[in-house]
Amino acid sequence: MFDTATRLGFGTYSLTGDEGSAVVETAIDTGYRHVDTARLYENERAVGDAIAAADIDRDDLFVATKVAHFEEPEKTPEYVREAVTDSFDRLGLDRIDLLYHHWPKNQDDIETVLPLLAEHVEDGRVDNLGVSNYTTDDLDLARDLVDVPIAANQVEMHPLLQQTEMREYLDEMDAQLVAYSPLAQGEVFSENAINSVAEKHGVSEAVVSLAWLLSKENVAAIPRSSSIDHLKDNFGALDLELDDEDIERIDGIERTHRCENPSWMTW
């Protein structure tokens, strides 16, 4: 699903209004070809405006959005179908590359929502079906529920949360992991292994962390930044090739840090 140009995407959480739209447009102009948003972010219209304003052919851009987050209202079929229609309208698109079920609260949500999202893949309006913050048990259920392949699971992943078991599971089902919070909300900057590899290559800790994620075969990453300087620096991860020693050193980090960890989740 993701190619070299789209494995490093741009996350848009909290980038709203005209200012957010300008940042997203700059990200696209910088070279990002995968843009990730969500109904819950309340910025799909701003992202759509950025896509319309950017000097790029639509077919060269991979657009992902998410619906039916656990904080949203009761997941009736009518609500879910309307949510998807709203996402198309706000983005100003007639096709979405990847549509996620956005972090269910329980498996009842999955049983209600996922088959409805699969309908949009079956009718050709959505190219790929994704899920977000699904556990391996959730993925087992999802695979029994729908005939449409699950293309990706978007979960937190970074050098301090390496998701080895989930990556292996997704690899077995020929799906990809999309890593949100790929810099652990700044925690990677104080990790000695990351510091030393960054110094060795003369790049930032952010670039090292993103390059490490991209060294994993079935992983894409979606760093988010409101800073133009930082989003341009992050894009340099595509040019950094870590050697085996670098990867082994980062793989060996023993510290575990999870940024998003609600009490009701059983990871």
Side-chain angles (χ1 to χ4, degrees):
M1 178 176 57
F2 296 114
D3 58 20
T4 302
T6 56
R7 286 185 66 207
L8 182 64
F10 187 70
T12 65
Y13 177 72
S14 79
L15 299 177
T16 59
D18 292 343
E19 184 176 347
S21 184
V23 173
V24 176
E25 184 180 352
T26 299
I28 295 171
D29 290 343
T30 298
Y32 289 90
R33 294 295 176 261
H34 169 187
V35 177
D36 179 272
T37 182
R39 174 183 173 89
L40 189 77
Y41 301 170
E42 297 184 343
N43 69 354
E44 287 174 313
R45 193 172 304 281
V47 170
D49 289 345
I51 292 169
D55 185 19
I56 184 173
D57 191 288
R58 168 65 184 93
D59 289 340
D60 293 330
L61 192 65
F62 189 99
V63 181
T65 194
K66 303 180 277 295
V67 299
H69 188 275
F70 71 81
E71 290 182 347
E72 294 179 332
E74 183 181 355
K75 310 303 185 296
T76 64
E78 294 75 19
Y79 167 81
V80 175
R81 291 191 176 104
E82 183 177 344
V84 176
T85 297
D86 288 347
S87 288
F88 273 102
D89 291 344
R90 285 190 290 262
L91 287 166
L93 302 176
D94 58 12
R95 175 178 59 82
I96 290 173
D97 297 278
L98 177 59
L99 179 64
Y100 291 98
H101 180 199
H102 193 187
W103 202 336
K105 184 65 177 284
N106 52 51
Q107 291 198 336
D108 288 342
D109 269 5
I110 295 173
E111 291 176 348
T112 301
V113 172
L114 201 63
L116 299 173
L117 301 188
E119 291 176 359
H120 295 280
V121 179
E122 292 167 342
D123 70 18
R125 298 184 74 205
V126 171
D127 290 344
N128 298 282
L129 177 64
V131 298
S132 173
N133 288 303
Y134 273 37
T135 65
T136 55
D137 286 344
D138 293 337
L139 288 167
D140 285 338
L141 172 62
R143 296 168 77 181
D144 288 337
L145 276 175
V146 296
D147 294 328
V148 171
I150 306 298
N153 188 16
Q154 186 176 129
V155 297
E156 180 180 345
M157 180 182 170
H158 42 72
L160 309 182
L161 185 66
Q162 301 196 3
Q163 294 283 13
T164 303
E165 180 183 354
M166 179 59 71
R167 285 190 283 122
E168 290 173 352
Y169 183 101
L170 292 170
D171 192 45
E172 289 173 2
M173 61 182 282
D174 197 25
Q176 294 175 288
L177 187 153
V178 178
Y180 72 75
S181 295
L183 307 180
Q185 297 179 7
E187 285 293 317
V188 297
F189 301 152
S190 60
E191 174 55 46
N192 289 338
I194 305 293
N195 298 152
S196 63
V197 174
E199 183 177 0
K200 171 182 171 180
H201 291 280
V203 297
S204 68
E205 286 82 1
V207 167
V208 168
S209 298
L210 294 169
W212 174 82
L213 285 164
L214 298 180
S215 74
K216 309 305 180 186
E217 281 191 13
N218 63 332
V219 175
I222 48 168
R224 172 263 177 209
S225 179
S226 60
S227 162
I228 302 303
D229 288 342
H230 289 166
L231 74 84
K232 290 183 176 180
D233 181 59
N234 291 345
F235 194 69
L238 290 174
D239 295 324
L240 176 61
E241 185 173 351
L242 300 176
D243 59 35
D244 291 343
E245 182 182 7
D246 299 330
I247 293 171
E248 183 177 353
R249 183 159 194 178
I250 298 171
D251 284 350
I253 293 174
E254 295 182 355
R255 176 184 173 197
T256 299
H257 176 83
R258 187 183 286 275
C259 300
E260 303 291 340
N261 194 23
S263 60
W264 48 265
M265 280 299 296
T266 55
W267 302 106

